[in-house]
Amino acid sequence: MNLEDLAEIAEQSAEAEKKQRHCVRVCMAASCQSSGAGAVLDGLRQHAEQDAEGGVHVKSVGCMGLCSAGPLVSVDATEPKTEVMYKDVTPDDAAELYSSLDGDPLERLRCSTDIPFFARQQRIVLKNSGVIDPEHIDDYIAAGGYASLVRAVTERTPADVLREVKQSGLRGRGGGGYPAGLKWSTVAMAPEPHKFVICNADEGDPGAFMDRAVLESDPHRVLEGMALAGYAIGAEHAYVYIRAEYPLAVERLKKAIKQATKKGLLGRRISDTTFNFEIEIRLGAGAFVCGEETALMASIEGLRGQPRPRPPYPAEEGLWECPTLINNVETLANIPAILARGGDWFKGIGTEKSTGTKVFALAGRIANSGLIEVPMGIRLREIVEQIGGGIPDGRRFKAVQTGGPSGGCLPEEHLDMSVEYDTLRSAGSIMGSGGMIVMDETSSMVDVARYFMEFCMTESCGKCVPCRAGTVQMHGLLDKIAEGRATQTDLDLLEDLCDVVQATSLCGLGQTAPNPVLSTLRYFRHEYDEKLRPESERWPLLPVVTGDN
Amino acid sequence: MPGPPVTTAPGVKVRVVTLKINEHDIGARETDSILDVAQANHIRIPSLCFLEGLSTWGACRLCVVEIEGYPRPVSACSTTVSEGMVITTHSDRLKRYRRTILELLFAERNHVCSVCVSNGHCELQDLAAECGMDHVRVPYRNQPYAIDSTHEMYRVDHNRCVLCTRCVRVCDEIEGAHTWDVKGRGIECQVITDLNQPWGDSSSCTSCGKCVQVCPTGALVKKGTAAGEMEKHDEFLPYLAQMRGNQ
């Protein structure tokens, strides 16, 4: 496949589109599917087949973002060019919706796309999400896909690709925020002949579904990003490590790899050059710790998913002791756009130290929950109040939890903070992979801390003592506080354990496990204090044994 | 100033670096770990999962040390030295961390010394004394674990296990049997023989007893020992590892 072949596919698609009266897109991402989008799709397809006039294309697409209002359906008319979105569509609505195609939009189900939820977003990673059919490679190609890869391998050197990525200022979207260009060039410089690329799709944070949505909606974008990474660093083999709990993403990814290989965009001699690149899928069996890069690599190697001390870092000594580039889904999904439009363009979005956009999974007590992509530097308040539509049922905002179990809870006074890696960290939370859980006044922050500690406790791999035995004790203390059985001594002990577990744990899981406790203590200490019993009422730890007994 | 390269094996050049440990200037090979260098210079750093002759595990976290410019303490066993490192091994903070880690270990399972066959010959007990851990602030979990006495010569008492995996590593790396491994995750972890079969039924166990000798506590013991009688001898390991490495 060369650039002309890609252009030809795009042209054919455009021709076919012109012949259509309408294109009806039904969101078939996991969230909408679970609320019955499959039956809506079948219903609309039946009507389209029975339509004597023809020219209506009913298409299954990826995530449209506003998951709380699913199943979502969007209708495009070619002439005049309009777009209407419908929410909460049931299979019973299919007939009415279909018959309204040539007339006025069905106001009953209409979801305005002018609302801030859609209008305030800036889509790079999610550009094709909800637009193209993730199961058809031609759709991706028609949207400009694989052009960056073909252009890179046929016209540019690996150093050029590397330079663009460095120039973009892209930082790892998996949570660490490490500069992607720096990581890439470290692996590129390694002298070893065998290198690997790994796409970390082991998303396990409670409330987070960014990577799943990207893989379900636009799998080719991730594959193209991986191939570009392979070209830049000199790797010919890659793995996608994805959790088995994401069957739809796995299925679409498998299909995408097959399609791309068939078209010569993956596999041997890509675009008739000497560049070979093969991608394999590895399923994770559902261990949160396997998102940690060294544990993930152990798991790919067929070993127990346990981390090992770093250094050596994977860039130096990774999979089977070879230099390995490991990036998360969103990081890789940014690459084709960076190569297509240049590192400078990407750098112009966001802030100086956090460039580009970030995908967040907005969940919790919020009117509009779903998947959003916003430029870095946006105010937290804009996300919560405008994009998210505020807190429902007339309740008050209390906190927003960012970064999953490794992150922290930020109170209202931080809502005007700019969303960037460093500002979030200085406020005691982290960007993480992009989970964002909004809580209202009914949430107990002690319960929130206890919930995340329970998660870390059950997900600890058990290798190092502070994480294995420390999280259990911290959870026990939080239990005691939440149930009103604790005294100040217990709270002091909890804080002490937070310090020990954070400072001495072997890997990121343990090192960050105390974060939800520390951040809730920082901003909501009064809630802990309210639950404490006076020291004088302290329950004795051991029965007192005297000589008289 | 980096020192001249020194040769350890034919064709392998190793550079000598200078560093500071507890304000003492020390020279070391760049391939050595902080723990190796400290031991060679008679600086004692507490450790539990580390055993010379076995692969480095880095899990007990007792050997954590502070390095100037590093954001958090690192384990001395798994961190190699580099030129100009400034290391502190016994700050008040580190001593507090070690005591707390030991408290967590003591509360995790049952480590009542007075009735233990390894009493007086136990590394965990010695570490508690060395680190000044004289009481446990966290509640004991008091979970009863099974004792497997099915092996004709040895016994495994999971109540005494600290999950250092020395048995797993010695069996795999030195004996080559890989009878031992770990099952479960988090606090549910437990060492197992074969595919969680009783030890006596293990078809891979060669009954060599290396696991018993390297176990730091009374978890793996010889049958027929009474309280305080079980002495362990792991001095053979570095010699054995070196001789086999030279083959």
Side-chain angles (χ1 to χ4, degrees), chain B:
Chain B
M1 280 285 289
V6 290
T7 308
T8 51
V12 183
K13 279 185 179 166
V14 177
R15 199 167 283 280
V16 168
V17 294
T18 54
L19 60 144
K20 264 191 190 342
I21 301 184
N22 300 342
E23 294 176 358
H24 294 292
D25 289 314
I26 285 169
R29 292 191 193 92
E30 65 174 358
T31 48
D32 286 346
S33 72
I34 296 172
L35 192 63
D36 293 335
V37 176
Q39 277 174 353
N41 288 278
H42 309 291
I43 299 166
R44 160 89 186 152
I45 301 176
S47 68
L48 185 57
C49 66
F50 177 82
L51 192 62
E52 197 184 338
L54 297 180
S55 63
T56 305
W57 191 236
C60 72
R61 313 308 286 170
L62 283 170
C63 69
V64 284
V65 295
E66 285 167 343
I67 304 176
E68 219 173 81
Y70 280 47
R72 60 163 51 95
V74 299
S75 48
C77 65
S78 65
T79 311
T80 49
V81 291
S82 64
E83 182 61 36
M85 255 184 188
V86 180
I87 300 162
T88 308
T89 62
H90 282 79
S91 67
D92 288 346
R93 180 178 169 224
L94 290 175
K95 286 191 226 165
R96 183 165 57 85
Y97 288 166
R98 287 186 192 130
R99 276 199 304 272
T100 312
I101 289 171
L102 284 167
E103 284 178 58
L104 290 171
L105 271 178
F106 272 87
E108 186 182 20
R109 298 203 181 179
N110 181 335
H111 296 286
V112 180
C113 302
S114 56
V115 292
C116 179
V117 293
S118 288
N119 188 10
H121 316 287
C122 170
E123 290 184 41
L124 186 66
Q125 192 180 37
D126 294 346
L127 281 164
E130 182 187 347
C131 297
M133 193 225 77
D134 48 15
H135 67 289
V136 174
R137 291 169 298 161
V138 292
Y140 287 93
R141 293 185 63 250
N142 291 325
Q143 301 281 326
Y145 286 89
I147 297 170
D148 180 356
S149 291
T150 52
H151 194 281
E152 93 188 284
M153 287 185 284
Y154 311 116
R155 178 166 61 233
V156 52
D157 179 353
H158 293 287
N159 295 290
R160 311 288 197 202
C161 178
V162 288
L163 294 165
C164 66
T165 72
R166 283 186 187 180
C167 54
V168 177
R169 284 175 284 154
V170 80
C171 188
D172 178 37
E173 296 163 13
I174 306 293
E175 179 61 11
H178 203 135
T179 300
W180 291 100
D181 216 317
V182 181
K183 73 158 186 178
R185 66 162 82 145
I187 203 76
E188 308 288 329
C189 277
Q190 206 172 306
V191 288
I192 50 167
T193 40
D194 286 354
L195 295 172
N196 203 16
Q197 306 299 308
W199 194 0
D201 296 346
S202 166
S203 53
S204 64
C205 178
T206 59
S207 300
C208 72
K210 289 189 182 69
C211 51
V212 175
Q213 295 305 327
V214 301
C215 173
T217 68
L220 288 173
V221 293
K222 263 195 251 172
K223 279 184 170 176
T225 42
E229 280 185 358
M230 183 66 219
E231 264 186 81
K232 311 233 171 143
H233 298 283
D234 55 30
E235 312 83 31
F236 65 94
L237 251 187
Y239 174 76
L240 206 57
Q242 191 174 12
M243 289 304 118
R244 293 198 179 168
N246 289 347
Q247 274 175 1

Side-chain angles (χ1 to χ4, degrees), chain A residues 12-34:
Chain A
Q12 283 169 1
S13 291
E15 284 299 315
E17 221 168 89
K18 267 185 203 162
K19 286 179 196 153
Q20 290 165 13
R21 266 162 54 221
H22 295 285
C23 179
V24 180
R25 298 188 172 92
V26 182
C27 175
M28 285 290 281
S31 170
C32 280
Q33 274 206 29
S34 67

Side-chain angles (χ1 to χ4, degrees), chain A residues 286-287 304 306 309 458-466 468-469 472-473 493 496-497 499-500 502-506 511, chain B residues 57-61 72-73 78 96-97 100-101 104-105 107-108 137-139 141 162-163 182 184-187 189:
Chain A
R304 193 176 150 85
Q306 282 182 328
T458 48
E459 292 295 337
S460 165
C461 75
K463 181 173 173 178
C464 80
V465 183
R468 181 182 73 226
V472 171
Q473 294 291 355
L493 181 58
D496 192 27
L497 286 178
D499 178 28
V500 177
Q502 191 174 46
T504 62
S505 286
L506 170 61
Q511 287 162 8
Chain B
W57 191 236
C60 72
R61 313 308 286 170
R72 60 163 51 95
S78 65
R96 183 165 57 85
Y97 288 166
T100 312
I101 289 171
L104 290 171
L105 271 178
E108 186 182 20
R137 291 169 298 161
V138 292
R141 293 185 63 250
V162 288
L163 294 165
V182 181
R185 66 162 82 145
I187 203 76
C189 277

Side-chain angles (χ1 to χ4, degrees), chain A residues 68-92:
Chain A
S68 54
L72 293 165
V73 174
S74 118
V75 176
D76 284 0
T78 323
E79 235 13 272
K81 213 162 169 55
T82 54
E83 190 197 338
V84 183
M85 189 180 268
Y86 296 107
K87 61 179 180 179
D88 298 318
V89 184
T90 63
D92 299 337

Side-chain angles (χ1 to χ4, degrees), chain A residues 71-129:
Chain A
L72 293 165
V73 174
S74 118
V75 176
D76 284 0
T78 323
E79 235 13 272
K81 213 162 169 55
T82 54
E83 190 197 338
V84 183
M85 189 180 268
Y86 296 107
K87 61 179 180 179
D88 298 318
V89 184
T90 63
D92 299 337
D93 296 324
E96 200 181 343
L97 202 157
Y98 194 86
S99 57
S100 77
L101 286 180
D102 290 314
D104 292 331
L106 193 59
E107 289 303 328
R108 183 169 63 84
L109 299 173
R110 194 156 176 190
C111 171
S112 169
T113 48
D114 297 333
I115 58 169
F117 184 87
F118 296 103
R120 298 282 305 156
Q121 291 194 41
Q122 183 171 1
R123 298 186 144 213
I124 298 173
V125 170
L126 300 179
K127 185 176 157 262
N128 298 332
S129 182

